[in-house]
DNA sequence: CCGGATCCGGTTAGATACTG
DNA sequence: CAGTATCTAACCGGATCCGG
């Protein structure tokens, strides 16, 4: 046991010993979302140091929440998966996220935007059902960002896998979306709609009119976007 | 903002900044349960230092979860109450507790028992409806404990308020319960039944046969006691 | 007694660099 | 790619003290 215990027999305290250390629930959100590899997890939790990530994964393994599996395909590499106890944390993480969306003031966290994190989340939640039955390429352009973070491509393959690139894959582009990072993040979080952003010239869409019309649908949004916000 | 931010726009991370610092959810459990005064909170979270309790209450006030009210009855004294956002945390705390009861191994926390905490929780959750319509006094005796913690009295008044004393109030006692602290804690947590403990001579009940028969009912148990345990 | 504030030593976390 | 190692800053626990 690395954490000092609360030394209480209350189940809330017992669970809090496992869950309520720094970065742990953010990491669990990433595991619940399906990331399994060390660097895949790092991508979802980019400001967590690798040392602490490694430590937290070991602690969660000791607590029976995560199990480590040695892979054969890339050899000498581990995958981290939730155990049954870990999957049972999904309602807990969701309840925490719903409360955060409803009650935590968003302004401070909108000052710490991250295009890679946003695109990575969008890739994961993209709703591919309304997308045509062929390869579809959407290019996002954030004009205010430095060149290395300015352009991102989401590529939906016919088998409905979605890839994210930040170097030009060379395919024909079906839709260009030019937008500032804050606006796109607000749309992703459900704080404003695609239509509103287009009306106010914060989002410029050029390309397939089908994709433009259905963007609010195929852009899957954050799992918490439907929760109304009540914070000041 | 005293806490370092996760600098993520994800609602889970935003909520975790408020909730997932040491002692915070245990303190919130106490506030959800209805404690309002500083030393009343200390009683429910006895191993938390007063300095940290004060700091956490201030942080929760800044986060809009708790509001401080200056009382007039005992003057120059504050009461801490949950705001609407704070009351909205009840499902979150409950989900955490349910997960803890289901999945966290209890053995370690059963090595850190606390009779005052147990009796204080029992006092709060006592179900007074099946108790007769007159003053009822139940004396708990923990023979293995030092004299200062050995005897406790639960006093149910006709108006259904419940008092806890650890000095003899001098009333006639309707039921004596002689038990070791671990057994009584296990019963409170739903890990074993009153009947089982009596059968195995871990709990000795002397007094009103009505009270003995209905003990499993009026002993309100932990709010999490009905959750089955699956941890190893 | 109530409601904290202060000080100090140990632990945890963040930043950065480095290795197989 | 998948982590360690190292150093420093921040946080936490425990004890003590203080004004009303």
């Amino acid at each position: 046991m690395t954490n000092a215990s609360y030394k209480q027999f209350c189940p809330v305290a017992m669970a809090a010993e496992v869950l309520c250390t720094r970065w742990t629930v953010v990491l669990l959100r990433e595991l619940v979302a399906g990331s399994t590899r060390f660097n895949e997890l790092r991508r979802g939790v980019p400001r967590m140091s690798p040392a602490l990530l490694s430590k937290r994964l070991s602690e969660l393994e000791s607590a029976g929440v995560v199990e480590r599996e040695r892979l054969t395909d890339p050899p000498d590499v581990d995958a981290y998966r939730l155990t049954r106890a870990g999957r049972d944390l999904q309602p807990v993480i969701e309840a925490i996220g719903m409360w955060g969306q409803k009650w935590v003031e968003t302004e401070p966290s909108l000052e710490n935007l991250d295009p890679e994190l946003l695109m990575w989340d969008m890739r994961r939640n993209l709703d591919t059902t309304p997308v045509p039955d062929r390869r579809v390429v959407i290019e996002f352009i954030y004009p205010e960002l430095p060149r290395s973070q300015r352009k991102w491509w989401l590529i939906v393959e016919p088998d409905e896998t979605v890839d994210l690139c930040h170097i030009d894959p060379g395919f024909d582009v079906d839709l260009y979306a030019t937008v500032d990072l804050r606006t796109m993040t607000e749309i992703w979080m459900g704080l404003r709609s695609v239509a509103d952003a287009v009306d106010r010239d914060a989002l410029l869409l050029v390309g397939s009119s089908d994709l433009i019309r259905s963007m609010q649908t195929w852009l899957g949004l954050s799992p918490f976007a439907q929760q109304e916000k009540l914070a000041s």
Side-chain angles (χ1 to χ4, degrees), chain A:
Chain A
M1 176 72 67
T2 80
N3 301 330
S5 158
Y6 291 126
K7 301 193 176 172
Q8 283 201 191
F9 48 83
C10 165
V12 174
M14 289 155 50
E17 285 178 26
V18 176
L19 305 178
C20 293
T21 50
R22 190 153 167 75
W23 283 110
T24 304
V25 309
V26 187
L27 169 58
L28 283 167
R29 162 193 173 272
E30 204 55 26
L31 286 160
V32 167
S35 297
T36 58
R37 300 276 294 278
F38 192 87
N39 280 359
E40 195 180 7
L41 292 165
R42 282 191 74 177
R43 222 206 283 215
V45 197
R47 302 189 56 97
M48 186 181 188
S49 81
L52 191 56
L53 174 56
S54 174
K55 186 179 174 197
R56 287 286 181 267
L57 287 169
S58 299
E59 289 167 0
L60 290 173
E61 193 181 4
S62 299
V65 170
V66 159
E67 57 196 353
R68 192 184 305 241
E69 179 198 353
R70 180 50 59 113
L71 297 178
T72 53
D73 182 1
D76 302 328
V77 161
D78 290 336
Y80 301 90
R81 297 181 204 286
L82 292 173
T83 61
R84 190 167 160 220
R87 291 193 297 278
D88 232 21
L89 279 169
Q90 184 171 348
V92 175
I93 306 296
E94 283 175 359
I96 291 173
M98 288 299 181
W99 186 86
Q101 175 84 355
K102 187 171 179 182
W103 289 111
V104 180
E105 207 189 341
T106 44
E107 199 50 47
S109 76
L110 283 173
E111 287 164 15
N112 295 107
L113 302 176
D114 181 330
E116 179 168 13
L117 193 51
L118 174 64
M119 297 307 299
W120 187 244
D121 276 350
M122 282 174 50
R123 185 206 74 93
R124 180 155 55 203
N125 282 63
L126 208 73
D127 181 359
T128 57
T129 54
V131 170
D133 196 21
R134 54 176 180 78
R135 176 162 57 216
V136 173
V137 178
I138 301 149
E139 180 176 340
F140 284 82
I141 303 165
Y142 299 105
E144 84 275 24
L145 296 186
R147 188 172 307 275
S148 65
Q149 300 187 304
R150 192 172 300 161
K151 296 185 174 184
W152 302 81
W153 288 263
L154 283 175
I155 301 148
V156 186
E157 299 288 353
D159 66 358
E160 303 201 345
T161 63
V162 185
D163 287 327
L164 170 66
C165 301
H166 63 285
I167 55 171
D168 189 344
F171 298 135
D172 286 346
V173 173
D174 297 278
L175 175 65
Y176 294 89
T178 306
V179 61
D180 66 293
L181 180 55
R182 182 182 169 122
T183 295
M184 196 60 228
T185 303
E186 286 173 346
I187 293 173
W188 162 252
M189 291 182 77
L191 302 178
R192 59 192 294 190
S193 68
V194 169
D196 175 79
V198 169
D199 285 349
R200 295 170 190 268
D201 295 325
L203 168 60
L204 174 65
L205 298 175
V206 176
S208 154
S209 52
D210 276 358
L211 284 176
I212 292 176
R213 218 174 306 110
S214 60
M215 181 167 178
Q216 186 75 62
T217 305
W218 57 255
L219 194 68
L221 298 200
S222 150
F224 306 105
Q226 80 280 13
Q227 169 67 55
E228 62 174 337
K229 174 158 286 294
L230 291 182
S232 58

